[in-house]
Amino acid sequence: IAGITQAPTSQILAAGRRMTLRCTQDMRHNAMYWYRQDLGLGLRLIHYSNTAGTTGKGEVPDGYSVSRANTDDFPLTLASAVPSQTSVYFCASGPQLGTGELFFGEGSRLTVL
Amino acid sequence: DQQVKQNSPSLSVQEGRISILNCDYTNSMFDYFLWYKKYPAEGPTFLISISSIKDKNEDGRFTVFLNKSAKHLSLHIVPSQPGDSAVYFCAASGAGGSYIPTFGRGTSLIVHP
């Protein structure tokens, strides 16, 4: 059982380029989330999705977009990357919003130069 | 403004002794609390949770205590082991946060042999 798979594991990107971080889960969870982890700032929510077809903004949504075309996939797109988006990005899922624990992917380390 | 606060960025403990990690929250609508553990280069993993109807939950060496009147929770690890060395995140969810987990900034625990 894979759980949550994120890709790429690591990426170096030039500022201004477009980038999509992929996230796939095989647990049939309804809720999915994208967090970024920065030193001293913990995990901050970027976007979330209650169920396929719906998305919502988190604490730090600017510069990011998401889509939820189906239950399994929840890609995060940076339309025009900036250096402040250098971070480690974690995708997570849960059975439904607000209940039970979240299951996290291994993370995607993104460096924007 | 931070709704979930972990005021100690780091904690150092001797093997075999007790580790106490603290967490404070400001939103009285939070009613479900979780602790996650994170090793370097890995995603966070769920450790233990507690609902607001309880004041204590125990799982092996890990115990979480909740003091609702003080809006404070703590994680006790007894006895501490070197393998417990990791970053610990406190998280809270409930009606006040639209049931989306809000994380603290984390506490880095080092257990010395």
Side-chain angles (χ1 to χ4, degrees):
Chain A
I1 297 177
I4 290 195
T5 303
Q6 289 186 234
T9 304
S10 179
Q11 182 76 44
I12 298 174
L13 187 67
R17 298 296 297 268
R18 180 184 180 89
M19 178 71 194
T20 295
L21 303 180
R22 301 184 297 278
C23 175
T24 300
Q25 54 109 352
D26 62 4
M27 297 173 282
R28 308 302 293 171
H29 284 163
N30 282 321
M32 296 189 75
Y33 311 81
W34 274 105
Y35 289 89
R36 59 178 287 176
Q37 185 193 9
D38 302 288
L39 192 63
L41 296 178
L43 293 162
R44 293 183 293 168
L45 182 68
I46 305 170
H47 285 286
Y48 67 95
S49 169
N50 292 347
T51 187
T54 69
T55 62
K57 293 182 180 181
E59 180 185 356
V60 288
D62 294 343
Y64 306 95
S65 63
V66 291
S67 61
R68 188 88 183 275
N70 56 60
T71 297
D72 298 343
D73 300 299
F74 191 44
L76 176 73
T77 297
L78 290 66
S80 179
V82 295
S84 62
Q85 292 178 310
T86 294
S87 187
V88 181
Y89 292 86
F90 289 100
C91 180
S93 73
Q96 60 190 56
L97 203 63
T99 61
E101 67 269 24
L102 301 187
F103 296 82
F104 282 83
E106 295 291 293
S108 294
R109 179 176 293 275
L110 183 66
T111 302
V112 183
L113 301 176
Chain B
D1 191 29
Q2 280 186 274
Q3 296 191 71
V4 178
K5 299 178 183 179
Q6 294 177 256
N7 292 320
S8 297
S10 63
L11 176 67
S12 182
V13 172
Q14 203 68 32
E15 180 179 6
R17 305 294 292 270
I18 185 171
S19 295
I20 300 176
L21 295 91
N22 294 303
C23 179
D24 297 293
Y25 62 96
T26 57
N27 191 332
S28 59
M29 297 296 283
F30 285 146
D31 57 12
Y32 193 68
F33 306 88
L34 311 95
W35 286 94
Y36 288 82
K37 179 178 181 179
K38 184 184 179 305
Y39 292 118
E42 294 184 10
T45 56
F46 169 74
L47 187 58
I48 192 169
S49 64
I50 189 167
S51 143
S52 60
I53 62 172
K54 294 185 174 182
D55 55 17
K56 176 183 176 181
N57 188 27
E58 195 170 354
D59 183 1
R61 297 186 296 113
F62 302 90
T63 303
V64 56
F65 296 92
L66 176 62
N67 182 333
K68 289 186 291 293
S69 62
K71 295 190 180 68
H72 176 82
L73 63 155
S74 60
L75 173 68
H76 293 211
I77 306 174
V78 184
S80 301
Q81 299 174 354
D84 295 329
S85 298
V87 176
Y88 290 79
F89 290 101
C90 172
S93 68
S98 300
Y99 298 102
I100 297 169
T102 299
F103 286 80
R105 295 184 175 182
T107 296
S108 177
L109 173 66
I110 300 172
V111 180
H112 298 283

